[in-house]
Structure formats: structure tokens, C-alpha cells
Amino acid sequence: MWDKNNYKLIKSRSKPVIFIQSLVSNRFTRKYGIICILLLVILAILSYRRILFQKYIYQTLPLYQRSVSLTFSNSHELQGTISNDRWMDIGDPKKRFKLYSAYFDPRLEIVESYDVPDGFLPFGSVRVFAILPLKIQKTAVFCNFRSDNTYEAQHQADQVESVHEHWNMEFTASYVICKLAGNINKRTILLPDEVALSYHAEPSMREATAFVRIKYPRTDMLFQSTPPNELAVCVGPMHHNFGFALRMVEFFEYYILNGAARFYVYNKTATDEASAVLRHYEAEGLVEILDWHFDGYQFEHELRYEGIFVALNECFYRATVTGGYRYTAIVDFDELLFPAGDNESLLDYLQSRDRYDVHSFNFEGVFFYDIYPTDQAQVPPWANNTYLYTQVRNMRTTNPLLHHNRSKYVMKGRNVLEAGNHFVWKAIRDTNEYPVPENEGLLLHYRDGNLGYDYENHVIDNRVRNRFGDKLWRKVNQRCTLIFSTSVGAKGICPLGANYNQTRPLS
């Protein structure tokens, strides 16, 4: 018989208690609950470290950077503004280690992860451009600083990187980054004048012998104000006795009409006529000629051709740091960036599309091949030079190649870390490329001597001729008259070059 005295009433429980007891009673939960708790603790620790890291990057380092006074040595005042950079051997020339130039970089995003001794904080870095073996022992590379020709410090390089487009060749365009750190108890920091690389894995390179001048911003040491200048143009190395003088004049004048104020040209070998064009624009303060004479490599077997990727990266640092330019275009002499808007210059277009989070503007390419028939109906009767590429070639490929495929670009140097031939490889975080749509702009590639993609499909395009035609004819005529007026029989004619049209016309 049931006896109610043998039983106890069940106590009522709250819902939270019931939930917790159900979790604990579940064997799966008991088994993996500890792991989940550990993961939550780890996530909390990482989140806290991230907060501290953000504070370090965006508060501590900027405050320290602005609180110190960066000073130069006496010899820095004698440096001058004309570049005397040239390729220098590091140690034994037979080893083929070379360096070219170095730049101060105040961007704290670059030094954020580099270790510093206790009592010191980084305030910037020095980037050295060099040619080094692809398989170099990175931990054996050291930076050596000096001021007033007095040796000051040596420390291990913080970063040794190959530019991406090395194609696994034996040697590669490289950059070496060395942080600059200051004592937190001192308010004045003496900046180094020169830097050299040493390589402790090779006996002939353990001593620093080849020093290059470090280039600093002239007006805005910490990149805190708006860049004083707007648009510069970088041109890849001139080589194989480059001799297209008329094309060079047309190129310079086209970009000047589009807002360019400075050109950087890397000259390895050029004809006397091409050199005369460079000297003329250099005297006008428009072109800076960089000595690019070096040899000892089988190009496209041991090193990408003519060291182009050192030139491209060195150039945008030169334009950004010493030139103070906001925009830097990366093009060749046969490449023109065209803004499609009515009566719009390239500079106007860049300014209209610019945003704080843009690092580059990438233009799709179309080709004006020399196999297409020319149209000389618009050549002025008074023109001394009758073959301007933009004015007589008006037939191009119909379909632009996709972005990053033979494209070219304009970068904002302060947002870029590594430049490629056709697009930016590395940029400051939280910045993006702006892919220029076809209806806003194109890369016009006036190629001689070979054919490429989709040459069978073509259209007539007179936009450059219609917008810039008269101005460009007159500007080129004036320049060629100034440059070649004294040449015997020249009569103000800029030479086209011996092989300006090498491809057979379509039959």
C-alpha cells in the first residue's frame, strides 16, 4: 500500500538552474566544455592584446614620433638636391650584390611589428633598394649607419624582401628595411646621413664599404600635411641604345598637358638624340635623369630585365619622399593614360575620384598596333614632325584587357609599400585599388614591333586627337625646334628612331 510519508515533495527550481543542470548532465558538453572555456579565455586574451596593440600603433608611437626633434648632421646640409645615385657593389664585385639608394620612411605601419630594446621606441625606418640573391640568408643581412662620415651603429636588418615579380631567378630586385629607434628619455634624435649593407654569411661583405645617402622628406618629415605637389611620372629603364626622340617629346608633352610636373627617367643606354631630349627637359626642371648603368647579369635568366623592379619601387619612393608628390604614374614611353571625361586632364580625373582609402587607380589597356593603317589627314601643313603616335594612329583593339593584365596605374605613394609593373603588390592596410572603368579612362598602348591579344578586332578612336591634337602638334613642334635647331639638316625635326615601325602591315 502506498505510504505518502516515504516520499518527499519535489522542490520547484528556477529555469536558469534547470538549464545549467541540463548542460552539466550532458556527457558531450562535459567532455568539450573545458575546451570551449579555454577557447573563450584565449579569445579574450587576444582581444585584449589587440586593444593594447592598437593603442601602441595609433597612440603611443605617434605621440612619441611627434614629441622628438629629428635633427641632421652637418654633412647633410651639403647633400644638395641633384641626385648622384649609382649602382655600387657590396663587397666582392664577383658576388654581384648591389645597392642603389635609401629612403627614410616615417610610416609607423611599417615598423609596428619590429622588436625594440627596452627604453626605446621606433619613429621610422630606412628602406634600402638593392639587387640580392633570391635565396639570401636574411638573418645575416645588417644595416650600418653613419653621420658626418663617422661610423655610428650596426644592427640586423628587420626585413629583407624580394619584389614579387622575380620569377624565381637567381637574383632579384630587393628592399631591406631597417627601423630607426630612439631613447624615450631623449627629446633630440640625430638622424643618420648614410647607410650601407653588410652580409655576415660572406667574408668579403662583413665590413660595410659601400654607403649611400639616405633621402629624407624636404618639407614634411612625418607625412602629416597634404603633399605639396600633385602628379609625377616614372618611366622604366631606357636600354639597348634607346633612340626614339620624337616619341619621348610627345610623351612628355602629353603628360604635361595632363597635369604632370615631374618625370623620373632611368637611363642605361640611349642614343645622342634621345640624350639631347633628356638634357633639354632636365634643364627645364621637368625631368630627373637617374644613372642606371650596371651589368654582370643575364637578363630574364638571372635577373628580370634591366633591373626594372628596383627602378619602379625606387622611383615611387623618390617621387613621394624627396619630390613630395601625391600621385605617381607607372608607365613606359609607349603608354599614355587617357581620362575619358570631356576636357578632363588626368590630374583632374584623379582628384575627382580620390578617397582616403584608395592606394592606386588601375587602367585597363588597349593597343594601337603599328600593323593598323595610319590616318595622316589631320597633320598640320606647318608641322616639322609629321608622325605623332597619338595623332596618326587612331585604330585600336576593341576590347580592353582586364585589370592587372598588361594594365598600368597611378598610385598614391604614401599608401603604397611595393609597386609592380601592372598593379600595386602591397599597400597600407585598409586601402584599396580603384579599378578605372572603361567609360572613365584607358591605358593607350602604342606598341611597335609585335602583336598581342585580340588584334583582329579593332575600332577607330579619335578622342586623343580631338582633345589634344592642336596643342600637342604645337608643343612638340616648339620643343623639337629648340632641341634640334642647331643640328645639321635637322631643321627642328626630332628623330623617330631607326626601328619605330617593325611589324609588317596587315595585307
Side-chain angles (χ1 to χ4, degrees):
M1 183 176 181
W2 175 70
D3 185 0
K4 65 179 180 180
N5 295 323
N6 293 331
Y7 293 88
K8 295 180 179 180
L9 296 175
I10 298 175
K11 294 181 180 180
S12 62
R13 295 174 295 175
S14 64
K15 290 183 178 180
V17 173
I18 295 173
F19 176 74
I20 293 173
Q21 287 183 344
S22 65
L23 286 178
V24 174
S25 64
N26 186 295
R27 195 168 77 176
F28 178 85
T29 304
R30 288 201 306 271
K31 184 176 181 180
Y32 294 100
I34 296 177
I35 296 176
C36 294
I37 293 173
L38 287 175
L39 288 176
L40 288 173
V41 171
I42 292 172
L43 287 174
I45 293 173
L46 291 176
S47 298
Y48 180 69
R49 287 173 60 92
R50 179 65 179 173
I51 293 172
L52 293 179
F53 182 73
Q54 294 289 337
K55 182 179 179 181
Y56 177 72
I57 295 300
Y58 294 108
Q59 295 183 30
T60 305
L61 292 187
L63 285 173
Y64 174 69
Q65 193 183 58
R66 293 194 296 269
S67 69
V68 296
S69 176
L70 305 178
T71 61
F72 296 107
S73 66
N74 296 326
S75 63
H76 180 82
E77 301 300 326
L78 304 176
Q79 182 175 346
T81 58
I82 298 176
S83 172
N84 57 356
D85 291 315
R86 57 186 177 84
W87 283 105
M88 303 177 69
D89 292 308
I90 304 173
D92 184 357
K94 295 180 180 178
K95 300 296 181 181
R96 296 183 289 176
F97 289 54
K98 296 181 183 292
L99 81 163
Y100 188 78
S101 61
Y103 294 86
F104 172 70
D105 194 330
R107 294 176 292 183
L108 296 174
E109 295 90 341
I110 295 174
V111 297
E112 62 187 26
S113 60
Y114 297 156
D115 294 330
V116 292
D118 290 339
F120 286 78
L121 283 175
F123 60 87
S125 61
V126 170
R127 182 170 297 222
V128 183
F129 290 101
I131 294 175
L132 300 173
L134 178 62
K135 298 180 180 179
I136 193 171
Q137 185 179 331
K138 296 182 179 181
T139 56
V141 179
F142 283 75
C143 294
N144 304 265
F145 295 103
R146 72 181 184 185
S147 295
D148 289 331
N149 292 320
T150 302
Y151 187 77
E152 286 189 344
Q154 178 190 79
H155 67 78
Q156 188 180 50
D158 295 283
Q159 191 173 346
V160 181
E161 292 292 334
S162 299
V163 173
H164 276 76
E165 298 177 59
H166 53 69
W167 291 6
N168 291 317
M169 294 181 184
E170 182 179 355
F171 290 88
T172 175
S174 305
Y175 54 89
V176 178
I177 300 177
C178 305
K179 67 176 177 294
L180 296 178
N183 190 318
I184 60 176
N185 296 316
K186 295 182 179 180
R187 289 293 172 262
T188 301
I189 297 176
L190 178 65
L191 294 170
D193 291 330
E194 298 174 302
V195 64
L197 298 180
S198 56
Y199 185 50
H200 290 192
E202 168 57 44
S204 71
M205 302 179 193
R206 291 173 182 167
E207 295 295 326
T209 57
F211 282 85
V212 295
R213 283 278 186 179
I214 302 171
K215 295 174 178 57
Y216 293 91
R218 293 173 185 166
T219 57
D220 183 15
M221 180 64 75
L222 299 181
F223 287 175
Q224 291 179 330
S225 60
T226 301
N229 302 310
E230 292 295 344
L231 177 59
V233 178
C234 291
V235 185
M238 300 170 64
H239 54 89
H240 289 84
N241 217 28
F242 189 91
F244 306 101
L246 179 56
R247 162 167 275 179
M248 293 169 65
V249 174
E250 183 180 7
F251 173 91
F252 290 140
E253 295 303 324
Y254 174 85
Y255 277 106
I256 291 172
L257 289 172
N258 276 278
R262 187 74 164 177
F263 300 86
Y264 298 94
V265 180
Y266 293 76
N267 183 16
K268 186 178 182 183
T269 57
T271 63
D272 292 340
E273 294 80 6
S275 298
V277 172
L278 290 179
R279 289 193 300 271
H280 171 79
Y281 283 94
E282 181 184 41
E284 296 281 324
L286 293 168
V287 169
E288 182 173 341
I289 307 171
L290 288 310
D291 184 348
W292 206 245
H293 293 85
F294 74 101
D295 51 26
Y297 307 91
Q298 287 185 299
F299 294 118
E300 295 306 293
H301 294 282
E302 296 177 319
L303 176 69
R304 293 300 310 277
Y305 73 97
E306 310 302 337
I308 183 174
F309 294 103
V310 183
L312 297 182
N313 283 273
E314 201 276 345
C315 188
F316 93 78
Y317 262 83
R318 184 178 296 270
T320 304
V321 175
T322 63
Y325 286 93
R326 177 192 297 271
Y327 305 110
T328 304
I330 302 293
V331 290
D332 294 326
F333 277 121
D334 60 354
E335 297 172 334
L336 305 179
L337 300 175
F338 176 71
D342 293 337
N343 297 318
E344 183 180 43
S345 71
L346 178 61
L347 180 58
D348 292 335
Y349 172 76
L350 297 173
Q351 292 171 335
S352 69
R353 292 293 184 271
D354 199 0
R355 285 170 48 96
Y356 70 93
D357 59 351
V358 171
H359 63 63
S360 62
F361 304 83
N362 195 275
F363 291 75
E364 296 173 304
V366 294
F367 293 83
F368 293 74
Y369 290 116
D370 56 2
I371 60 169
Y372 299 147
T374 59
D375 179 5
Q376 296 185 322
Q378 302 298 321
V379 177
W382 43 262
N384 293 335
N385 300 272
T386 59
Y387 195 96
L388 299 191
Y389 283 79
T390 60
Q391 304 306 304
V392 301
R393 287 196 191 178
N394 63 346
M395 186 176 291
R396 66 166 176 85
T397 53
T398 303
N399 303 308
L401 296 178
L402 298 177
H403 292 287
H404 297 191
N405 182 9
R406 311 302 301 178
S407 58
K408 286 300 174 76
Y409 60 97
V410 180
M411 74 171 76
K412 293 168 62 178
R414 292 188 179 184
N415 289 346
V416 175
L417 301 177
E418 183 186 321
N421 199 10
H422 304 293
F423 56 90
V424 168
W425 277 103
K426 290 183 182 179
I428 297 298
R429 65 169 171 263
D430 300 325
T431 61
N432 304 284
E433 174 187 273
Y434 181 78
V436 177
E438 181 183 353
N439 65 323
E440 293 184 9
L442 284 171
L443 162 66
L444 311 182
H445 197 153
Y446 294 86
R447 174 171 283 189
D448 283 337
N450 54 58
L451 292 176
Y453 170 79
D454 201 30
Y455 70 90
E456 301 94 341
N457 300 310
H458 45 76
V459 295
I460 299 295
D461 191 341
N462 283 314
R463 288 178 295 175
V464 176
R465 184 159 72 176
N466 294 337
R467 186 185 306 178
F468 300 105
D470 184 66
K471 291 181 180 179
L472 203 53
W473 283 114
R474 295 184 184 280
K475 291 289 186 180
V476 171
N477 207 57
Q478 292 169 4
R479 292 288 186 182
C480 289
T481 299
L482 290 172
I483 299 170
F484 294 102
S485 60
T486 59
S487 301
V488 177
K491 298 180 181 179
I493 298 176
C494 287
L496 269 170
N499 301 310
Y500 75 94
N501 192 326
Q502 295 179 324
T503 308
R504 290 184 178 180
L506 290 173
S507 55

